[in-house]
Amino acid sequence: MEENKKFKLVTSKKTRYLLPNILTLAGVCLGISSIKFSIDGNYTIAVTFILFAAILDALDGRIARMIKGTSEFGKELDSLTDFVSFGIAPVFVLYFWELNTYGKLGWAITLIYSVCCVLRLARFNLTKIEEKQEWKNNFFEGVPSPAGGLLILMPLIYELTNLNVGLDVKKLTPYLTIAVAILLVSKIPTLSLKKISISPNTTVFLLLTVGIVFIALLFYTLEALLVFGVVYLISIPVSIYIYSKQNKQNSKKISDEDHEDIL
């Protein structure tokens, strides 16, 4: 008599692949939902959903590596959902908020940003780093799509915070969107910190920083996002400097090794 076979979505050995993919799918649901709330005029929730999508995007890959649940399917799914959550959703929120007032030009800017985002993701999938240049894992080539999605929303976030600084940032929306679109496809190095090593002595300070960031996002979500956006923009020149310095050091090291091999 044949034994009854229970239906399983995946084999028991591969259940660890489910959690990262579930987080990825949850992120894309949040991204799509943000479009719905922007249509309804509820921009606060729309921005918050994109923030949560960015957090899930940061977690899914790290969790996958921690539990050894990485897969080719997961990588492709992550790229496709990133395009929806950060290449379409944020710029559509902007379109319903401000860009639609520019008519055809506003729609053209929306398309340009989305196209630049998909090009950036396609290039990222094809990027291969050699063993001798593993230090490059700490840098992205261009601004990553989650950061780009939040950066273009900065004028909207500023308006939602009701800060009265005397600046009409709403008019900067089309220019900032184009600028971020260019940064997406550029080869400007930006900090990734994927392979950064943390000293045990600094662990306490790191946890304290994470706690402060969490509290700021919990009680002052929009204000904290605005500050993080400004800090990120400031970090770009810093990352260019660090990248250039490490590139020179690595090139000198490789040159010295080649010279020793010849001798």
Side-chain angles (χ1 to χ4, degrees):
M1 182 180 292
E2 294 184 1
E3 296 181 1
N4 293 329
K5 295 182 179 180
K6 295 182 179 180
F7 173 78
K8 293 183 178 180
L9 183 63
V10 292
T11 62
S12 58
K13 294 182 180 179
K14 295 185 177 181
T15 51
R16 64 181 182 273
Y17 295 120
L18 282 177
L19 179 58
N21 293 334
I22 289 173
L23 293 177
T24 303
L25 291 175
V28 75
C29 289
L30 290 171
I32 295 172
S33 297
S34 70
I35 300 176
K36 185 265 181 190
F37 282 102
S38 67
I39 294 174
D40 295 341
N42 198 334
Y43 296 108
T44 301
I45 293 182
V47 171
T48 304
F49 274 18
I50 291 175
L51 169 63
F52 286 153
I55 293 173
L56 290 178
D57 180 71
L59 289 176
D60 60 8
R62 284 164 176 78
I63 290 176
R65 287 188 290 272
M66 287 174 60
I67 65 177
K68 296 181 180 179
T70 57
S71 64
E72 290 301 319
F73 174 80
K75 291 178 182 178
E76 295 300 324
L77 179 65
D78 186 62
S79 292
L80 291 172
T81 54
D82 278 1
F83 175 59
V84 175
S85 298
F86 311 115
I88 295 179
V91 77
F92 266 61
V93 172
L94 275 189
Y95 180 78
F96 293 123
W97 175 64
E98 172 65 13
L99 290 180
N100 64 86
T101 60
Y102 291 85
K104 294 181 180 179
L105 178 61
W107 182 244
I109 293 172
T110 303
L111 293 178
I112 289 171
Y113 178 84
S114 294
V115 169
C116 287
C117 185
V118 75
L119 289 174
R120 187 258 180 282
L121 290 168
R123 185 181 65 186
F124 176 77
N125 289 343
L126 295 174
T127 301
K128 303 293 182 183
I129 297 177
E130 300 177 1
E131 291 184 4
K132 292 183 178 180
Q133 296 181 323
E134 286 188 359
W135 60 273
K136 287 186 177 180
N137 284 318
N138 281 328
F139 297 90
F140 288 117
E141 196 174 67
V143 171
S145 54
L150 290 171
L151 284 177
I152 64 171
L153 291 173
M154 285 180 64
L156 171 58
I157 295 171
Y158 174 82
E159 290 285 329
L160 293 173
T161 58
N162 294 320
L163 293 175
N164 187 14
V165 192
L167 296 175
D168 188 8
V169 297
K170 199 170 187 179
K171 294 181 179 179
L172 297 176
T173 302
Y175 306 105
L176 179 63
T177 306
I178 292 294
V180 175
I182 294 172
L183 288 174
L184 287 172
V185 294
S186 71
K187 293 191 175 183
I188 294 175
T190 56
L191 292 173
S192 165
L193 306 180
K194 285 183 179 180
K195 302 290 183 178
I196 190 172
S197 57
I198 301 172
S199 171
N201 297 328
T202 61
T203 303
V204 175
F205 297 101
L206 177 63
L207 292 175
L208 177 61
T209 302
V210 172
I212 293 173
V213 170
F214 178 77
I215 293 171
L217 288 173
L218 186 63
F219 294 102
Y220 305 99
T221 306
L222 298 175
E223 290 81 2
L225 273 178
L226 195 62
V227 171
F228 295 156
V230 173
V231 171
Y232 185 85
L233 289 174
I234 295 173
S235 74
I236 294 177
V238 176
S239 64
I240 294 173
Y241 171 77
I242 297 173
Y243 180 91
S244 177
K245 186 177 180 180
Q246 291 189 10
N247 190 31
K248 289 179 181 178
Q249 292 176 350
N250 187 70
S251 299
K252 184 179 180 181
K253 182 180 178 181
I254 294 174
S255 178
D256 292 341
E257 289 176 353
D258 292 341
H259 183 66
E260 290 177 0
D261 292 339
I262 293 173
L263 295 177

